[in-house]
């Protein structure tokens, strides 16, 4: 089951406009491949070339080493079923009729479908949960229902290769997962190759074994999902900042489009005193604005530390539930020394992290710019060391520590400092 697909120097142009540019690749047997890429990158055009709905302007396609154009149409339809994006079918057909059309490639010209054909069509309707719509007219059901009927028709063809163009685009979340689970099952249990254009990067990451990332009609990356769906590849294709994480529940890759802004790249470092999630906002923003960031001292496993780890920042960590060791504090002081400025976020101050505040105080005394990102709420106690934390903050404020609760203003101040340093 399944078939290999080989593209040899495949090019395609609409009129004079070159869309696919000399693609060379092999799609393995029995794979579940998602084709992803931004609007207009050529995904549908590629799918239509493979489905023989469009003829390459140059190069060719081999299905299991055999040229695509040598297949007879019924012969090809027994191998390959295609579910296009929008399908317009005449009004007179019921859902049952449409699904039954999937059996045509298996019948000779005047042959009527028999019990076996009906059984296969029934099964396809059950798999796609459209059996209850059997007697309804195809143009009198919803877009999502019609999409599932078209998948049922494709399955009734009993193909070894299933091509789908955005199979989940009209479906609600329940049916999206149902259809993708079904495709995965058909792929794993029946060995049917599935090639699907999928816009939703998280669904593509969750269900596909391999991914083809198209960009401007060329292959930007092809291979195992984890190798292709990297922040660097996706940023290059979609021109925005991305973060790749792993879903704690499903374990699959999770793509988070962070910002439309292209990240600047700066050489200056900012040291952040965070902890307990209070540094998150600042860490994210510093990262977006392209600063190098060091964080610490924070406890291992702290949510600020987890975020900073994902963003590849320098972290100075201490074992949880223990006092900050002198050597750890020394490492944090070295990091702070190297930084252009130190940002103290609104952490709760307790016995465990009081040493952080003392270290920041030393930094201020030695002339380092220390800015307090002060988001403490009035009347909410943040001092768990009998007023010692509040006293140190007050002392630093008197010694000139600036304080703001406006993140934009804080970033503008850092920008101005960097500018001044460069001048
Ligand atoms: N019939 C057509 N005639 C001329 N140009 C076309 C035709 N169909 C598509 N194009 C152009 O070809 C390019 C690729 O289109 P295609 O539909 O393959 O992209 P896609 O990656 O599937 O996009 P989307 O994500 O928006 O569905 C686009 O610039 C599109 O405008």
């Amino acid at each position: 089951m399944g078939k290999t697909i080989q593209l040899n120097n495949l090019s395609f142009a609409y009129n004079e406009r070159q869309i696919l540019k000399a693609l060379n690749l092999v799609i393995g047997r029995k794979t579940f491949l998602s084709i992803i890429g931004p609007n207009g990158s050529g995904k549908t055009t590629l799918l239509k070339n493979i489905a023989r709905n469009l003829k390459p302007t140059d190069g060719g396609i081999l299905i299991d080493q055999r040229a695509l154009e040598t297949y007879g149409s019924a012969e090809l339809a027994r191998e390959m079923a295609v579910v296009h994006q929008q399908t317009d079918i005449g009004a007179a057909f019921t859902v049952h009729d449409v699904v039954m059309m999937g059996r045509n490639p298996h019948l000779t010209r005047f042959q009527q479908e028999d019990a076996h054909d009906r059984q296969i069509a029934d099964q396809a309707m059950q798999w796609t949960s459209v059996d209850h719509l059997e007697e309804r007219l195809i143009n009198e059901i919803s877009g999502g229902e019609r999409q599932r009927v078209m998948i049922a028709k494709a399955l009734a063809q009993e193909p070894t290769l299933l091509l789908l163009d955005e199979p989940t685009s009209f479906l609600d979340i329940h049916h999206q997962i149902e259809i993708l689970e079904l495709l995965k099952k058909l792929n794993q249990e029946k060995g049917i190759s599935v090639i699907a254009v999928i816009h939703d990067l998280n669904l593509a990451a969750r269900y596909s074994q391999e991914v083809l990332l198209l960009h401007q009609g060329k292959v930007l990356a092809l291979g195992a999902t984890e190798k292709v769906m990297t922040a660097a590849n996706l940023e290059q294709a979609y021109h925005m900042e991305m973060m790749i994480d792993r879903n704690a529940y499903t374990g699959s890759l999770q793509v988070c489009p962070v910002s439309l802004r292209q990240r600047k790249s700066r050489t200056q470092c900012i040291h952040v005193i965070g902890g307990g999630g209070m540094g998150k906002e600042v860490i994210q923003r510093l990262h977006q604005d392209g600063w190098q960031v060091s964080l610490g001292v924070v406890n291992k496993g702290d949510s600020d530390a987890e975020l900073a780890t994902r963003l590849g920042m320098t972290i100075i960590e201490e074992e949880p539930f223990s006092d900050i060791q002198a050597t750890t504090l020394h490492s944090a002081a070295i990091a702070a020394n190297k930084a252009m400025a130190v940002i103290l976020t609104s952490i709760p101050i307790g016995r465990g992290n009081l040493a952080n505040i003392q270290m920041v105080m030393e930094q201020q005394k030695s002339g380092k710019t220390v800015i307090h990102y002060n988001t403490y709420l009035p009347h909410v106690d943040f001092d768990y060391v009998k007023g010692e934390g509040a006293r140190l903050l007050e002392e630093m404020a008197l010694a000139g520590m600036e304080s703001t609760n406006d993140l934009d203003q804080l970033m503008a101040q850092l920008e101005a400092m960097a500018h001044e340093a460069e001048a």
Side-chain angles (χ1 to χ4, degrees):
M1 270 295 221
K3 290 274 182 287
T4 57
I5 300 176
Q6 190 171 341
L7 309 186
N8 289 332
N9 225 20
L10 178 85
S11 294
F12 180 83
Y14 284 112
N15 305 319
E16 294 298 291
R17 217 167 130 241
Q18 192 75 10
I19 306 296
L20 300 177
K21 298 163 188 163
L23 303 186
N24 281 299
L25 56 94
V26 178
I27 300 170
R29 188 184 291 275
K30 293 187 196 170
T31 190
F32 189 143
L33 176 98
S34 290
I35 304 177
I36 61 169
N39 290 140
S41 54
K43 303 180 295 296
T44 296
T45 307
L46 172 59
L47 207 76
K48 284 184 174 171
N49 271 267
I50 299 174
R52 217 169 63 178
N53 299 120
L54 292 173
K55 194 168 178 296
T57 38
D58 209 355
I61 300 173
L62 302 178
I63 306 284
D64 256 2
Q65 310 288 333
R66 184 177 152 195
L68 182 61
E69 62 270 21
T70 65
Y71 282 79
S73 50
E75 185 189 14
L76 187 64
R78 286 193 294 271
E79 295 294 349
M80 184 192 286
V82 190
V83 181
H84 290 291
Q85 253 181 63
Q86 286 143 359
T87 318
D88 206 8
I89 291 190
F93 296 109
T94 63
V95 165
H96 181 268
D97 293 336
V98 172
V99 177
M100 265 312 210
M101 286 175 202
R103 296 304 300 157
N104 287 348
H106 295 272
L107 304 174
T108 54
R109 196 153 172 216
F110 298 107
Q111 193 183 352
Q112 289 288 315
E113 62 263 9
D114 60 16
H116 173 67
D117 297 305
R118 276 190 291 278
Q119 188 200 343
I120 288 168
D122 285 347
Q123 168 125 77
M125 284 190 281
Q126 278 165 22
W127 276 339
T128 49
S129 305
V130 293
D131 39 342
H132 64 292
L133 302 169
E134 203 175 0
E135 299 309 324
R136 301 268 296 275
L137 291 176
I138 189 76
N139 66 344
E140 291 179 2
I141 58 176
S142 79
E145 288 166 343
R146 198 171 312 129
Q147 197 152 6
R148 277 154 43 218
V149 172
M150 298 321 293
I151 295 172
K153 173 178 176 269
L155 296 179
Q157 259 173 264
E158 294 188 297
T160 56
L161 252 168
L162 191 51
L163 304 186
L164 308 106
D165 196 351
E166 296 188 41
T168 56
S169 57
F170 287 106
L171 304 186
D172 63 50
I173 190 76
H174 177 100
H175 288 110
Q176 282 182 11
I177 299 297
E178 186 181 75
I179 288 297
L180 286 165
E181 292 283 347
L182 171 65
L183 295 178
K184 186 174 162 187
K185 194 169 165 205
L186 292 169
N187 172 249
Q188 289 181 343
E189 291 177 14
K190 294 193 184 289
I192 296 177
S193 300
V194 176
I195 299 175
V197 172
I198 297 185
H199 264 294
D200 185 320
L201 297 180
N202 287 315
L203 289 179
R206 180 164 162 189
Y207 286 98
S208 36
Q209 192 183 332
E210 291 180 296
V211 173
L212 167 60
L213 172 56
L214 278 186
H215 183 231
Q216 297 174 349
K218 291 187 183 159
V219 176
L220 200 150
L222 167 66
T225 305
E226 312 247 334
K227 293 227 166 87
V228 174
M229 294 187 79
T230 62
N233 281 343
L234 297 177
E235 282 178 5
Q236 195 181 337
Y238 292 90
H239 301 287
M240 62 181 303
E241 194 195 341
M242 300 278 193
M243 247 190 77
I244 310 290
D245 209 347
R246 204 168 272 287
N247 184 291
Y249 188 69
T250 61
S252 37
L253 291 184
Q254 191 164 269
V255 180
C256 175
V258 178
S259 159
L260 287 179
R261 289 190 295 179
Q262 298 280 304
R263 285 188 63 223
K264 288 184 195 161
S265 183
R266 301 175 192 265
T267 48
Q268 296 99 331
C269 184
I270 309 295
H271 186 78
V272 177
I273 308 290
M278 298 312 292
K280 240 177 204 167
E281 208 186 349
V282 168
I283 291 168
Q284 271 165 346
R285 187 61 189 275
L286 288 170
H287 175 73
Q288 261 176 38
D289 284 10
W291 298 97
Q292 305 294 313
V293 178
S294 56
L295 171 74
V297 179
V298 279
N299 282 334
K300 278 187 185 155
D302 183 281
S303 60
D304 286 350
E306 276 176 17
L307 175 64
T309 306
R310 275 192 249 133
L311 297 175
M313 295 171 172
T314 304
I315 307 155
I316 298 99
E317 290 178 307
E318 187 54 87
E319 293 299 326
F321 308 112
S322 53
D323 289 343
I324 298 175
Q325 305 290 310
T327 48
T328 319
L329 197 63
H330 183 63
S331 303
I334 291 174
N337 273 335
K338 286 190 202 151
M340 185 184 79
V342 174
I343 299 177
L344 172 61
T345 64
S346 297
I347 49 173
I349 304 173
R351 199 174 58 84
N353 66 357
L354 187 63
N356 265 336
I357 309 292
Q358 286 157 342
M359 187 272 286
V360 173
M361 206 166 182
E362 290 306 313
Q363 289 291 322
Q364 191 193 24
K365 280 184 188 155
S366 67
K368 180 75 62 189
T369 300
V370 176
I371 309 170
H372 186 196
Y373 182 54
N374 188 351
T375 54
Y376 288 128
L377 295 170
H379 316 302
V380 174
D381 202 7
F382 62 87
D383 186 311
Y384 298 96
V385 276
K386 298 183 181 150
E388 179 64 3
R391 193 189 62 73
L392 292 180
L393 291 185
E394 212 173 296
E395 204 176 305
M396 283 194 282
L398 285 171
M401 176 174 72
E402 293 180 47
S403 172
T404 178
N405 62 2
D406 182 335
L407 198 52
D408 288 332
Q409 191 188 324
L410 176 60
M411 293 301 132
Q413 190 175 345
L414 295 176
E415 178 88 52
M417 279 179 74
H419 215 69
E420 210 172 288
E422 278 163 16

